[in-house]
Each structure stands twice: as structure tokens, then as C-alpha cells.
Amino acid sequence: MNTTPQPDPKDRPARLTVGVVGAGRVGPALAASLQLAGHRPVAVSGVSEASRRRAAALLPDVPLMTPAEVLQHAELVLLTVPDDALPGLVTGLAETGAVRPGQLLVHTSGRYGARILDPALRAGALPLALHPAMTFTGNPVDVQRLAGCSFGVTAPEELRLAAEALVIEMGGEPEWIAEDRRPLYHAALALGSNHLITLVAQSMELLRTAGVTAPDRMLGPLLGASLDNALRSGDAALTGPVARGDAGTVAAHITELREHAPQAVAGYVAMARATADRALDHGLLRAELAEDLLGVLADGATGADEHPGPDGTHGPDGTHGPDGTQGPEGPEGTDGGAR
């Protein structure tokens, strides 16, 4: 539910004609959301067959045009092209005279702020950067997901209210991001969202290799609880062998990964090191256990197969004790289950 205070009516943008340049997964969804708020999509550009299908599904009866023609017909133009294509697109539109004075140009890149639109600004356009912090599928469900979605907003100060009002009209929550913090903001979202997909996909592959027939069903409740705990408690939610300092278990993990999924070893070691650092800083990982753990991770990074246990002996499975069962919290541990 959107709890952001609604802007005063005088600050809300008038009903606008809307154009989309780049009918990828984002643009048609945003235009459809603006349509629900009373604005009127009038033109969309798309090159690939997939883009044209998305436009037809989300913006039926809206004609396909070239980018320059979209700007001719629309008062509010959504530039929803890949990040690397945005600078050239803006420069080209400005240099060919396609940009009209007073026209709202909105890009949805997380990486860039409003300055990337400076060529259009010099041509009289009003520049806005509105980045939805959401993953898009290209299906109508995307419009529903915008409800409560945060948007990273960057714009000239005099356009701030208009930018935030547009976000609220789409059902989103505006979050102001300073121009020079946009790359950091985008890196944070990529780290949390894009890399999460990689981690989950790798985990499902490994579970299938281990014989689990429904890895999605197994992971769903576990990952849901982990995400909820992390959002609520941050580092205090850390659990598992790294946070406990269970070097033997981590060594066994690395051995198994090296045999069955060598491509996953580097990622496992990197994330385990980051987890160990955070657990140490938060007081969850005891310093006396960290040294052995970090040694295991160093060996894992270089490809060593063995690591000495607390008694100085080397076990082929990298476990702490001769029977491989005794962890620092006792033979059964204290926080049980998959972690």
C-alpha cells in the first residue's frame, strides 16, 4: 500500500500524452501504469519482434513509430533503453532537433542521474531520472508490481515535485538519490537483486545434483525466511557454518564443490569471506575460531585440498575432529536445520 503523502493537486502533472522509446520490459509497463493514472499513451518505438509483442500486450492500439516520431507526438517521453545505449540516444535526438522545448524526458536507468539528459536540457527539455527498483518480466503482472515499488528519483530541484508526483501516480514510492550517488545506488541494487538470482540458481543446480527432486520447494521457505530476517535484522540474522566458525564444515563444502561444481567454488569462497568479515564485525564469529576458518577459505581460493584441524592434523575431509562430527557448539549444534 502506498503510504507516501499525496502531493498537492497543484503539484501534480497535468494529464499528458505519453511516448515510449524502447519497448523493452520496463517502458510499456510504466506507460500502462501512467495510463491507469489518467495519462494517454500515444506512441511507442520498438525494433525487435519481442518488443513489438510487449507493446501490443501492454499498450494495445498504441501505434508503433520511430523514436523521433514518438517525441513529436508525446509531451512525456519514457527513454527505456539499455544503459549503454542511453547517452548516444539522447545526443542523437537532441542533435536532430527531435527534442521539443517543455517536453518531459524521463529515463529509467539506475546508473545515470539527470545529467545524462543535458543535451536534451539544452534543447529545452525537462529532464527526469526515475528508476524503478523492481525486476520486470515483460508481462502485465509488472504493472501490478509497481504498487509500493521504490523509485530512485533524480532531477533538477525545480522538477523534484513533478518527478515525485509521477512516481506516486504509478503507485510507487519516490526515494531521492543525489546525482553523484547514482552509480553506488545502482551497484547496491545489482548486488542484492541480480546476484541473488545467480546464487539461487546455483543452489538449485547443486540440490538437483544431490538428488533433491524439488529444489524450488525446498528453498522457497528457507530463502523467504532468510530474506525476511535480513531485512528486519541485518547482520544479526547471520547463521550457518561461517558465522559459527565451523571451519571443518566449510572445508567439506569446498571439497564437494570442487568435485561436483568447480565453477561455484570461487563464488562460495568470496561470499564466505564477506560473511566472515561481517560476522566478526558484528560479534557473531569468535576471533579464536576465525583464524582456522580464514585459513580454510585461503586454501579453498588457491585449490588446496586439506587444512589442519585444531589439533594440527590434516583430515582428508577437512573436518575438525577425527570423527568429523564435533563442531564448536557440540555434536548437534544449536540452531539446527539448513542454514
Side-chain angles (χ1 to χ4, degrees), residues 111-126:
R111 171 185 172 187
Y112 294 111
R115 287 179 191 154
I116 196 68
L117 297 173
D118 277 355
L121 173 65
R122 290 190 288 271
L126 307 178

Side-chain angles (χ1 to χ4, degrees), residues 1 59 61 84 114 120 135 169 239 244 268 290 293 305 311 321 333:
M1 180 176 180
L59 301 172
D61 302 322
D84 289 350
T135 181
E169 287 192 328
T239 62
R244 293 194 306 271
Y268 179 96
L293 173 68
D305 293 329
D311 62 356

Side-chain angles (χ1 to χ4, degrees), residues 129 150-154 160 164 167 173-178 182 185:
S150 291
F151 280 66
V153 177
T154 306
R160 178 168 180 163
E164 293 177 344
V167 170
E173 304 278 358
E175 186 73 38
W176 188 258
I177 308 295
R182 292 289 290 207
Y185 151 81

Side-chain angles (χ1 to χ4, degrees), residues 34-206:
L34 288 168
Q35 186 174 35
L36 292 176
H39 300 286
R40 186 165 61 91
V42 293
V44 59
S45 73
V47 177
S48 70
E49 184 59 34
S51 295
R52 293 169 181 264
R53 285 198 303 269
R54 277 191 290 267
L58 288 167
L59 301 172
D61 302 322
V62 175
L64 287 164
M65 300 183 182
T66 66
E69 289 172 335
V70 171
L71 268 69
Q72 290 175 11
H73 287 80
E75 298 161 313
L76 166 63
V77 179
L78 302 173
L79 303 179
T80 52
V81 297
D83 288 1
D84 289 350
L86 183 61
L89 172 67
V90 174
T91 299
L93 291 172
E95 289 180 348
T96 57
V99 178
R100 294 184 287 115
Q103 191 168 46
L104 282 165
L105 281 191
V106 177
H107 80 70
T108 58
S109 165
R111 171 185 172 187
Y112 294 111
R115 287 179 191 154
I116 196 68
L117 297 173
D118 277 355
L121 173 65
R122 290 190 288 271
L126 307 178
L128 308 176
L130 307 180
H131 175 252
M134 177 55 62
T135 181
F136 290 80
T137 65
N139 297 312
V141 69
D142 293 336
V143 180
Q144 302 170 24
R145 288 178 173 172
L146 289 173
C149 167
S150 291
F151 280 66
V153 177
T154 306
E157 187 62 36
E158 62 271 20
L159 294 176
R160 178 168 180 163
L161 289 176
E164 293 177 344
L166 282 171
V167 170
I168 291 169
E169 287 192 328
M170 288 185 281
E173 304 278 358
E175 186 73 38
W176 188 258
I177 308 295
E179 180 80 32
D180 62 352
R181 294 300 176 91
R182 292 289 290 207
L184 179 61
Y185 151 81
H186 195 223
L189 294 180
L191 186 66
S193 176
N194 303 150
H195 297 174
L196 175 63
I197 294 173
T198 301
L199 288 172
V200 173
Q202 282 189 334
S203 182
M204 288 199 294
E205 287 176 355
L206 292 170

Side-chain angles (χ1 to χ4, degrees), residues 231-260:
L231 293 175
R232 291 174 182 271
S233 304
D235 288 329
L238 284 170
T239 62
V242 172
R244 293 194 306 271
D246 192 348
T249 297
V250 172
H253 289 175
I254 293 172
T255 298
E256 288 298 304
L257 290 175
R258 199 173 299 285
E259 178 179 353
H260 298 288

